[in-house]
């Protein structure tokens, strides 16, 4: 979708781009140049294929005097570099700021070149507030937000998450953003962001910038890489009210005094324990004469501290181990738990299922995690096999079948 105004001396007025679904485009989803106060809202932009090495969800320039960029969902699932939203040379007014608010932006990146999910260049009086960004690019030079040039810009109440290990924010100019606070700045990598140099964590960022005093750095645990709804209590009531923004991306009313960080206003559950990963077994097979161990990761998604809950696992529907965990698991934290009781697989396919149970759990959908495991029987020679009736291959066997030549594993 391409809209091009007259030029810098005569900007186009009255532009509204709303309620569109743009799927499987190849380069840029929405392009707008030379506009006065355009409204771009409630659009769904999805890319799963491309013909270019650099792509954009939106590419906007010279959108002046009160741009409104709100309640859009951008999902770039193609492994290329580029931008979720590229916004440049767009000047708001002291009395009519540009607004980028209540947007979901998910970007996978290519893993080897730099991408910026929100790219802000030479903009003035722009409010970037209440957005949820998930950059799951593994390239450490990529960033959820890149800011260069401009002035009098505001950054508040955003989730800027680099869940693949990239940077959460890169300020190439220290005068572009006047206010930055109440954000969730999170990376799974070793460098949180860049502000007059690389900063490893939130404390270093706060010291260098003298900003983000009330911000946090916590994995938002999005529903998925592309569904950026959240339910983690650490972001609940952790934002600050912004005048004129009273609802979230779903149209739900925001708390007037203590809203939530990000595009999604939510109510956390007081009690919510879940299994997030099965860490062991490391391999997905062993001999039926051997035993293996189970280790899981348990996370407290609730708003209260968990002090006691049941943890266990089953093999093919039969409980192998079940016991009571006691301690102090704070909200928004997890633990790794390894069972002392080992299991012996049956020949063929086995279903391992780990579980947790706590009184008053408000969400039972995250209480279990399953794992398919193969039991390899020992056989006596001579031995005959038609290679079809029994399936005993494991993770060390290539092409999902029996190997020829020297095995990759034993």
């Amino acid at each position: 979708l391409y809209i091009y105004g007259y030029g810098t001396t005569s900007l186009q007025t009255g532009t509204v781009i709303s309620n569109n679904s743009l799927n499987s485009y190849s380069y840029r989803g929405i392009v707008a140049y030379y506009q006065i106060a355009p409204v771009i809202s409630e659009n769904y932009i999805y890319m799963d294929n491309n013909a270019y090495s650099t792509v954009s969800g939106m590419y906007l320039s010279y959108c002046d005097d009160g741009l409104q960029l709100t309640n859009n969902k951008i999902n770039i699932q193609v492994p290329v570099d580029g931008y979720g939203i590229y916004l440049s040379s767009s000047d708001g007014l002291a009395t009519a700021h540009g607004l980028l608010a209540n947007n979901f932006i998910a970007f996978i990146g290519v893993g080897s070149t730099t991408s910026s999910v929100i790219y802000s260049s030479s903009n003035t009086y722009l409010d970037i507030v209440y957005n949820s960004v998930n950059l799951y690019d593994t390239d450490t030079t990529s960033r959820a937000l890149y800011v260069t040039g401009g002035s009098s810009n505001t950054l508040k109440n955003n989730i800027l998450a680099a869940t693949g290990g990239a940077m959460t924010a890169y300020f190439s100019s220290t005068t572009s953003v006047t206010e930055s606070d109440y954000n969730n700045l999170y990376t799974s990598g070793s460098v949180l962001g860049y502000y007059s140099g690389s900063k490893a964590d939130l404390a270093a960022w706060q010291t260098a910038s003298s900003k983000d005093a009330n911000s946090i750095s916590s994995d938002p645990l999005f529903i998925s890489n592309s569904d950026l709804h959240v339910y983690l209590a650490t972001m609940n009531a952790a934002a600050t009210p912004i005048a004129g923004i009273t609802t979230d991306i779903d149209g739900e009313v925001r708390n007037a005094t203590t809203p939530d960080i990000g595009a999604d206003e939510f109510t956390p559950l007081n009690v919510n324990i879940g299994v997030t990963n099965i860490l062991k077994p490391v391999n997905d097979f062993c001999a039926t004469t051997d035993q293996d161990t189970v280790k899981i990761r348990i996370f407290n998604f609730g708003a209260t501290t968990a002090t006691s809950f049941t943890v266990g696992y089953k093999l093919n529907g039969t409980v192998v181990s079940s016991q009571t965990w006691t301690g102090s698991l704070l909200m928004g934290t997890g633990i790794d738990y390894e069972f002392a009781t080992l299991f012996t697989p049956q020949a063929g396919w086995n279903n391992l299922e780990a579980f947790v149970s706590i009184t008053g759990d408000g969400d039972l959908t995250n209480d279990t995690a399953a794992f398919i495991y193969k039991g390899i029987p020992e056989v006596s020679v001579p031995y005959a096999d038609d290679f079809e009736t029994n399936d005993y291959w494991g993770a060390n066997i290539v092409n999902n079948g029996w190997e020829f030549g020297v095995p990759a594993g034993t």
Side-chain angles (χ1 to χ4, degrees), residues 215-251:
S215 294
I216 63 174
S217 185
S218 177
D219 188 344
L221 295 174
F222 296 122
I223 296 295
S224 71
N225 280 335
S226 57
D227 183 351
L228 306 190
H229 289 90
V230 293
Y231 44 83
L232 193 60
T234 50
M235 291 175 294
N236 180 62
T240 188
I242 302 292
I245 303 180
T246 58
T247 57
D248 73 350
I249 191 171
D250 302 314

Side-chain angles (χ1 to χ4, degrees), residues 1 3 13-20 35 37-41 43:
L1 198 158
I3 296 181
T13 62
T15 298
V16 176
I17 304 172
S18 184
N19 292 298
N20 299 287
Q35 305 289 318
V39 175
I40 304 174
S41 66
N43 299 286

Side-chain angles (χ1 to χ4, degrees), residues 74-158:
I74 301 174
N75 184 10
I76 310 296
Q77 291 195 343
V78 181
V80 294
D81 65 6
Y83 315 96
I85 296 176
Y86 181 102
L87 179 62
S88 69
S89 305
S90 297
D91 297 322
L93 302 171
T95 55
H97 288 202
L99 180 64
L100 199 164
N102 280 342
N103 299 287
F104 278 175
I105 316 171
F107 200 101
I108 186 173
V110 69
S112 59
T113 55
T114 302
S115 296
S116 301
V117 183
I118 298 177
Y119 187 100
S120 174
S121 175
S122 303
N123 301 303
T124 61
Y125 292 109
L126 174 66
D127 295 339
I128 303 174
V129 296
Y130 287 124
N131 298 286
S132 295
V133 172
N134 183 27
L135 172 63
Y136 46 113
D137 193 350
T138 57
D139 187 286
T140 56
T141 65
S142 291
R143 44 270 176 137
L145 170 70
Y146 180 86
V147 178
T148 183
S151 62
S152 303
N153 298 307
T154 296
L155 182 71
K156 287 185 176 180
N157 301 349
N158 302 283

Side-chain angles (χ1 to χ4, degrees), residues 171 174 177-181 195 205-213:
F171 286 16
T174 59
V177 175
T178 305
E179 293 183 83
S180 182
D181 207 357
Y195 195 102
W205 176 271
Q206 291 168 327
T207 298
S209 66
S210 298
K211 294 178 171 64
D212 288 293

Side-chain angles (χ1 to χ4, degrees), residues 37 50 120 156 186 261 287:
N50 71 294
S120 174
K156 287 185 176 180
Y186 171 77
I261 295 176

